[in-house]
Amino acid sequence: MIFMILADYFSNRIPISKICDKYDISVPVLYRLKKVFLIHKKEWLGILEDLETQAAAFLEGLLNSQVFSGFSFLFLKQTTHSFMQSHKNPANCLRPHFPDTEILALVHNL
């Protein structure tokens, strides 16, 4: 649903008030989703590629992706937080640990 909201926002086809009515959200919620999306887009792409990639194009790539779970795992591994999820104080969150694949293979073979 979040991606659909953002797709409507970045398409510039629907006024903000109509988007909020359509998804039953407030304007501040829409802008919070937009802010988190743009921050995470920049974290994933890096500063230079982020400047060259329109938000709508990046979002379209996510919507058309057959393997979003793979992307979301790689995003988590790279940034230590989930895509499109935020916390008021990220310092209070535990940093995830990703074991080496060799360790996973050893455990799997037991």
Side-chain angles (χ1 to χ4, degrees):
M1 183 173 134
I2 292 172
F3 290 160
M4 293 168 51
I5 293 168
L6 292 170
D8 282 347
Y9 175 82
F10 286 115
S11 72
N12 294 319
R13 293 177 292 178
I14 304 171
I16 291 172
S17 60
K18 298 288 185 194
I19 295 170
C20 292
D21 289 342
K22 179 178 177 180
Y23 296 101
D24 196 26
I25 61 171
S26 66
V27 173
V29 167
L30 174 63
Y31 283 116
R32 188 169 49 245
L33 293 173
K34 174 190 170 193
K35 179 181 176 182
V36 171
F37 175 78
L38 293 176
I39 289 169
H40 288 185
K41 173 182 169 271
K42 186 182 293 184
E43 286 179 320
W44 179 253
L45 296 176
I47 293 172
L48 294 177
E49 192 173 351
D50 178 60
L51 291 172
E52 295 175 348
T53 306
Q54 295 289 327
F58 182 71
L59 184 60
E60 183 179 333
L62 292 176
L63 287 169
N64 292 330
S65 174
Q66 298 296 320
V67 288
F68 179 76
S69 61
F71 162 78
S72 63
F73 175 75
L74 290 174
F75 185 88
L76 174 66
K77 191 171 180 179
Q78 177 177 315
T79 65
T80 69
H81 57 270
S82 296
F83 188 72
M84 290 304 298
Q85 292 184 2
S86 63
H87 302 280
K88 290 187 179 185
N89 188 357
N92 290 337
C93 301
L94 293 175
R95 187 175 185 95
H97 171 71
F98 299 101
D100 293 336
T101 53
E102 293 171 307
I103 295 171
L104 288 175
L106 289 172
V107 171
H108 181 68
N109 291 331
L110 292 177

